[in-house]
Amino acid sequence: MNTLNIKLIRPLFSRMETLFVVALLAGFLAPTVAHAGAEYKIATASEKGTYFAIGNDLAKFVAPAADLKLEVLATAGSAANVKLLRYEPGVKFAVVQADVFQAFIDRSITGNTEANSIIRPLRVIMPLYNTEIHYIVRADSELNYLHDIKNAKINGGLVGSGAALITHTLYRMMFNGPVPEANASYLSNEEALVKLISDKSIDVVVVAAGQPAPLISNMKPEAQKFIKLLKFDPEHPSSKQPLTVYSPATVRAESYPNILTQNFTTISVGAFLVTYDFNLRDTVSHLGQFGRALCENFATLQAEGHPKWREVDLALPPLAPGWLYYPPTTREIRTCLKNKSKPSKVKALLKPIKKCTAEEKILGLCN
């Protein structure tokens, strides 16, 4: 949101509220990476999200060792990343939410030719970590759990984002029907948070980001007067179907010390580093070097990168049907991992979805 927009919303807030909103909109810039032999791009998500931070870490700690200059792209999210990786020149990597990748595969299996064309040549480099889903409501809201959000006005994030897909998929699973069209919005997290606490035209803002999510962790202590996070109850009857796809996760108070005083349970979904089935000699060579550099610098990623790297296992576990590893990176990583294999922490992937409406739109498969 630019300076003009902030000026337009300022009359709606007290001084403290304005300071809070401005703090929410603080941005993050990618680090400068020295010029290298080839220039590639990685599609991530919002600059304030964890995927963007993961991309920055790869650009800083891995790419130079592979003779690469890696540009980190801010995007709408996972569904957009899939298309960018497929069609945008220069994009050689993407971070993709597992259920988004699987949703494209499901639609390919059911005969959607566009989905098949998009997903068929994409390949996995390695599983990453589970992404926590943060459900944010007003501090004085009567909502306390995810199973309370039926009929609430929900912002799932931009069309093309993983958050938008999980918002609609999870809602359908919990309440046996889609989010009512009148209750669904697709604004950026920043815009939605402003509406949440100003004109109250939104009741729930969904942020999909590995903790600590910069958007939330950078909030000031005063934010407790305006927002709170919803809990997920794995024992509630409405949670039975979601748990066939997603996994419970603990949001730690230490991730958001200005907002939380104790840990609580939310829901999460796996994230993967993916690429395209490139076959040009130079590209294959550079991607193989990247796989080797990723392995050789993995300890540095865990020590100096985003805290989420500490939840990543450098391993190549079996994938779900329709998912394939990229051979050049796989060879390098497996060579590095010989006699050092560890089990993956990434949970089972999304099962086929028989039918959807809003989800098709989010994936960009509806005209």
Side-chain angles (χ1 to χ4, degrees):
M1 184 174 291
N2 58 32
T3 302
L4 176 60
N5 289 335
I6 293 176
K7 289 180 178 178
L8 290 175
I9 66 170
R10 185 170 286 132
L12 298 174
F13 296 90
S14 68
R15 181 175 180 276
M16 185 175 292
E17 288 172 324
T18 300
L19 290 173
F20 168 53
V21 173
V22 171
L24 287 174
L25 305 183
F28 297 85
L29 298 177
T32 301
V33 180
H35 180 74
E39 298 185 2
Y40 291 167
K41 301 175 184 178
I42 180 170
T44 59
S46 164
E47 291 181 355
K48 301 173 185 65
T50 306
Y51 286 3
F52 192 82
I54 293 298
N56 279 339
D57 291 339
L58 292 171
K60 182 178 180 180
F61 300 118
V62 177
D67 197 26
L68 297 177
K69 177 182 179 182
L70 187 60
E71 179 182 353
V72 184
L73 298 181
T75 72
S78 289
N81 292 352
V82 168
K83 288 192 171 184
L84 287 168
L85 182 58
R86 181 66 177 86
Y87 298 120
E88 184 68 17
V91 176
K92 298 295 194 291
F93 306 100
V95 183
V96 178
Q97 201 169 286
D99 57 347
V100 171
F101 199 106
Q102 186 65 42
F104 275 98
I105 290 177
D106 293 342
R107 283 149 185 81
S108 173
I109 292 172
T110 59
N112 187 308
T113 55
E114 183 181 2
N116 182 65
S117 175
I118 291 171
I119 206 67
R120 180 177 48 80
L122 300 194
R123 299 291 183 265
V124 174
I125 293 178
M126 66 177 291
L128 293 174
Y129 53 83
N130 281 345
T131 297
E132 290 84 13
I133 315 302
H134 306 74
Y135 282 72
I136 305 173
V137 299
R138 287 182 293 279
D140 61 357
S141 173
E142 295 181 354
L143 308 177
N144 291 298
Y145 289 89
L146 267 63
H147 57 252
D148 294 331
I149 67 173
K150 186 176 184 180
N151 299 322
K153 295 179 180 178
I154 306 171
N155 187 82
L158 298 172
V159 171
S161 68
L165 182 71
I166 195 173
T167 297
H168 287 261
T169 302
L170 187 61
Y171 188 98
R172 187 184 294 275
M173 288 179 165
M174 294 185 76
F175 305 117
N176 299 312
V179 178
E181 188 173 345
N183 290 349
S185 60
Y186 301 91
L187 303 174
S188 69
N189 293 330
E190 296 81 5
E191 291 175 296
L193 284 167
V194 170
K195 288 184 172 292
L196 178 79
I197 65 175
S198 59
D199 63 22
K200 301 183 179 181
S201 58
I202 291 174
D203 300 318
V204 184
V205 177
V206 183
V207 177
Q211 64 178 310
L215 180 67
I216 303 173
S217 63
N218 287 318
M219 290 181 181
K220 306 302 181 183
E222 301 93 290
Q224 294 184 54
K225 299 179 180 179
F226 301 101
I227 63 101
K228 65 181 180 181
L229 298 173
L230 298 184
K231 304 177 180 69
F232 175 70
D233 180 3
E235 302 302 321
H236 193 271
S238 66
S239 301
K240 183 176 181 180
Q241 188 175 1
L243 288 175
T244 65
V245 173
Y246 303 104
S247 303
T250 299
V251 176
R252 301 180 299 276
E254 65 188 46
S255 295
Y256 308 113
N258 289 339
I259 307 296
L260 301 178
T261 58
Q262 59 184 5
N263 298 348
F264 72 92
T265 301
T266 189
I267 201 160
S268 66
V269 63
F272 286 72
L273 180 62
V274 300
T275 188
Y276 179 87
D277 191 17
F278 296 105
N279 54 24
L280 292 177
R281 184 177 62 182
D282 286 349
T283 305
V284 170
S285 176
H286 275 111
L287 290 181
Q289 292 173 35
F290 180 87
R292 181 167 60 253
L294 177 60
C295 178
E296 292 173 348
N297 293 278
F298 191 70
T300 302
L301 286 172
Q302 292 192 312
E304 301 183 36
H306 188 279
K308 269 294 180 180
W309 283 109
R310 295 165 204 159
E311 299 179 20
V312 179
D313 281 333
L314 185 59
L316 301 175
L319 297 172
W323 295 59
L324 297 171
Y325 283 112
Y326 182 57
T329 54
T330 298
R331 282 193 296 269
E332 294 293 342
I333 293 173
R334 282 183 173 160
T335 297
C336 178
L337 290 176
K338 189 176 182 180
N339 301 322
K340 298 180 182 179
S341 297
K342 297 179 181 179
S344 173
K345 292 181 181 178
V346 178
K347 304 296 182 181
L349 303 180
L350 187 68
K351 294 182 178 179
I353 298 174
K354 296 182 179 179
K355 185 178 179 181
C356 70
T357 53
E359 293 91 333
E360 294 280 356
K361 177 181 177 182
I362 293 163
L363 292 171
L365 297 176
C366 296
N367 297 320

